[in-house]
Amino acid sequence: MSITYTIISFIIALGTLITFHEFGHYLVARWNRVKVLRFCIGFGQPIFRRRWGKDQTEWVIAAIPLGGYVKMLDENEGKVASEDLPRAFNRQPVARRFAIVAAGPIANFLLAIVLYWLIFILGVTGMKPVLGPIEPATPAAQAEFTMGETIVSIENEPVASWQDARWALLRYAVNQSANVKVQTINSNGEINLRKLDLSQIDPDKLNENFPGIIGFSGYQPIVKPVIGQVISDGVGYHAGILVGDEIIAINDTEIHTWMDFVQEIRTNPGNSVELDILRNDQLIMLKVTPEITLENGKQVGKIGVAPIVDQAKFEELLVTVSYSPGKALQKAAEKTWETTILTLQMLSKMITGDVSWKNVSGPISIADYAGQSAQMGLTSYLAFLALISVSIGVLNLLPIPILDGGHLMYYLIEMVKGSPLSDKAIIMGQKIGLVMLFTLMTFAIYNDISRLITG
């Protein structure tokens, strides 16, 4: 994936999310007859600037697409003509000011609902939740799940794909639930109700392959160790491996499936291995040295070959889930709510120290996710946008001075005490807010750099 593709995907994502957020502020301000002086997307040097409308609002697109703002007429920011005083933001009743500030995060939640609605109408293609081998000494093994079973529901919530199963399990894993009811059906049509104990799952590992930590893996049809493709100029090509070769053994270890073959190659990076190969009914031996490749900071071996795959068997495991417009809207609202709650739970666990701050992502990681999701297709990109939109909505509602949530906190205090906070208190709050925001961004960027270095 090219850097250019990643950057474009990132800019489109941030531009869309920030525009909707700021448009929420703008729209409610206009509904309340507050004069808007500037609507700006981005920071730094303007690359586009125009004035439109009765109020000659300045519309600006700036060079750095990492934020935006709506500047309203306000006596705290400069002189206001006497005829415009009724339209100044600071002259509005506290309820109106509250509504204008809250409109930004609310716009992000509404955007997430629209995006999820589109996803549920278009349909999501995924793998059926059929269980592969169960890892020993895991919660799944203790609950006596068996390979070949299909997950039907989790806590009475229907599950149609592995995406559904992963999302449902994540919600219960965050809370370290002790008895999660999972209903399965096997190939004989027998229905089983099993209880998963997730109380010992480390919340700090939830962004890894946590279904694997539970003991689950997706079922994969057995693929024979027969070569279907050899990458030209690769290690396998130079060793003399040909399409149609069947791998019988590696270093005298019998090979029965393609996964057996992959496992042996991966565990021998840089080490010469002997392959026993069946070619045209004749047994031959080749030596190959797997190329050293780094994956997640670990060295693994690869030789540049792929198997013959029976595509029909894999297509049998695919399922496309879609809904009618009405049902899709209901599901979209539920998904947005669940994502919001999950985000708040993760934040609270970071504050209490139950989850590491290493889970905080900065602009580099978000850009990478944007590029990856865009490459995977429209529905994946829309899902990414919806998730980030919810995150922006939640972040802006946190009671941190200088964020929307901080202003809302000020207005709530004003409603209770009957008068605004003093300028001294607001200035002190802004200083505290800047320190908190700077600390958060420092963590995020540090994590980004760490991920780049460690893979």
Side-chain angles (χ1 to χ4, degrees):
M1 181 174 58
S2 70
I3 295 177
T4 303
Y5 189 86
T6 296
I7 292 172
I8 292 173
S9 301
F10 177 60
I11 291 174
I12 291 173
L14 272 191
T16 301
L17 300 176
I18 293 168
T19 299
F20 268 84
H21 178 94
E22 301 304 337
F23 194 71
H25 293 310
Y26 171 82
L27 198 59
V28 177
R30 292 300 304 268
W31 285 347
N32 286 283
R33 300 195 71 253
V34 173
K35 187 173 184 178
V36 178
L37 303 178
R38 180 180 298 158
F39 184 105
C40 182
I41 302 301
F43 298 114
Q45 183 68 30
I47 56 177
F48 173 85
R49 178 184 288 168
R50 289 288 186 277
R51 291 186 180 274
W52 279 305
K54 180 182 175 182
D55 291 332
Q56 285 295 284
T57 301
E58 186 180 32
W59 298 80
V60 179
I61 298 176
I64 306 172
L66 294 178
Y69 61 92
V70 171
K71 183 178 181 181
M72 290 169 269
L73 192 68
D74 194 313
E75 289 176 283
N76 296 317
E77 297 185 11
K79 288 186 178 181
V80 177
S82 57
E83 64 271 19
D84 281 336
L85 284 175
R87 301 188 64 192
F89 177 77
N90 65 292
R91 291 289 182 107
Q92 305 307 308
V94 65
R96 287 188 181 181
R97 282 179 276 138
F98 190 98
I100 291 168
V101 172
I106 290 171
N108 282 120
F109 293 124
L110 291 176
L111 174 61
I113 292 173
V114 171
L115 292 170
Y116 281 131
W117 179 72
L118 285 172
I119 291 168
F120 289 133
I121 286 178
L122 292 171
V124 181
T125 299
M127 299 291 290
K128 294 177 183 177
V130 182
L131 298 177
I134 305 299
E135 191 70 25
T138 60
Q142 293 166 6
E144 299 182 343
F145 286 91
T146 60
M147 179 175 172
E149 288 185 310
T150 300
I151 298 175
V152 176
S153 67
I154 297 174
E155 286 292 335
N156 299 317
E157 179 182 342
V159 170
S161 67
W162 266 116
Q163 290 101 313
D164 292 345
R166 191 181 193 283
W167 177 255
L169 289 169
L170 177 61
R171 299 204 311 271
Y172 294 107
V174 166
N175 293 317
Q176 295 180 300
S177 302
N179 288 295
V180 181
K181 294 191 291 291
V182 181
Q183 189 179 80
T184 65
I185 186 170
N186 61 24
S187 57
N188 296 322
E190 297 169 341
I191 296 175
N192 295 290
L193 183 63
R194 310 193 188 280
K195 292 185 178 180
L196 265 178
D197 182 3
L198 304 181
S199 61
Q200 302 304 313
I201 297 295
D202 184 357
D204 205 23
K205 295 182 178 178
L206 294 182
N207 65 338
E208 299 175 13
N209 177 30
F210 85 91
I213 297 170
I214 294 171
F216 287 148
S217 64
Y219 174 79
Q220 297 286 340
I222 294 175
V223 177
K224 293 182 179 180
V226 179
I227 306 298
Q229 182 183 2
V230 180
I231 297 174
S232 59
D233 208 35
V235 171
Y237 174 85
H238 289 294
I241 297 175
L242 301 178
V243 170
D245 285 351
E246 181 177 354
I247 311 300
I248 303 300
I250 298 181
N251 288 343
D252 297 325
T253 300
E254 290 188 5
I255 300 297
H256 301 285
T257 68
W258 183 260
M259 287 307 299
D260 294 341
F261 175 57
V262 170
Q263 185 63 26
E264 290 294 327
I265 294 298
R266 286 176 63 87
T267 54
N268 281 285
N271 300 321
S272 178
V273 296
E274 291 186 355
L275 306 181
D276 291 340
I277 292 175
L278 189 64
R279 178 186 295 171
N280 299 325
D281 296 327
Q282 291 186 344
L283 191 63
I284 64 171
M285 189 201 69
L286 296 176
K287 285 188 177 182
V288 61
T289 302
E291 182 180 8
I292 299 174
T293 305
L294 281 178
E295 281 188 7
N296 298 321
K298 294 182 179 180
Q299 290 187 347
V300 298
K302 292 188 178 181
I303 62 172
V305 297
I308 292 176
V309 176
D310 186 348
Q311 199 63 35
K313 287 185 177 180
F314 280 90
E315 289 176 356
E316 287 177 1
L317 292 172
L318 292 177
V319 61
T320 300
V321 182
S322 62
Y323 301 93
S324 65
K327 184 66 174 177
L329 183 60
Q330 177 190 335
K331 296 285 289 184
E334 291 173 355
K335 181 79 170 180
T336 301
W337 174 254
E338 291 168 358
T339 306
T340 301
I341 296 301
L342 183 62
T343 303
L344 287 170
Q345 289 174 334
M346 290 295 287
L347 280 172
S348 67
K349 286 183 179 293
M350 286 182 192
I351 293 169
T352 59
D354 293 325
V355 173
S356 170
W357 285 88
K358 290 181 180 179
N359 292 292
V360 177
S361 295
I364 299 172
S365 292
I366 294 172
D368 186 40
Y369 298 147
Q372 289 183 34
S373 62
Q375 196 170 45
M376 290 169 67
L378 177 61
T379 55
S380 293
Y381 191 59
L382 293 179
F384 164 79
L385 288 177
L387 179 62
I388 300 300
S389 191
V390 170
S391 298
I392 290 175
V394 171
L395 178 65
N396 274 278
L397 285 178
L398 296 179
I400 298 175
I402 81 168
L403 292 180
D404 292 337
H407 291 291
L408 295 177
M409 178 178 64
Y410 292 155
Y411 299 150
L412 286 173
I413 294 172
E414 183 178 341
M415 289 177 186
V416 172
K417 68 190 290 282
S419 61
L421 286 172
S422 66
D423 290 342
K424 183 178 179 180
I426 292 174
I427 291 171
M428 178 62 68
Q430 287 177 334
K431 289 180 179 178
I432 294 171
L434 280 170
V435 171
M436 293 174 70
L437 204 59
F438 178 78
T439 302
L440 182 63
M441 285 303 299
T442 301
F443 266 114
I445 293 172
Y446 173 79
N447 290 341
D448 281 355
I449 294 171
S450 295
R451 290 185 189 110
L452 284 175
I453 295 171
T454 63

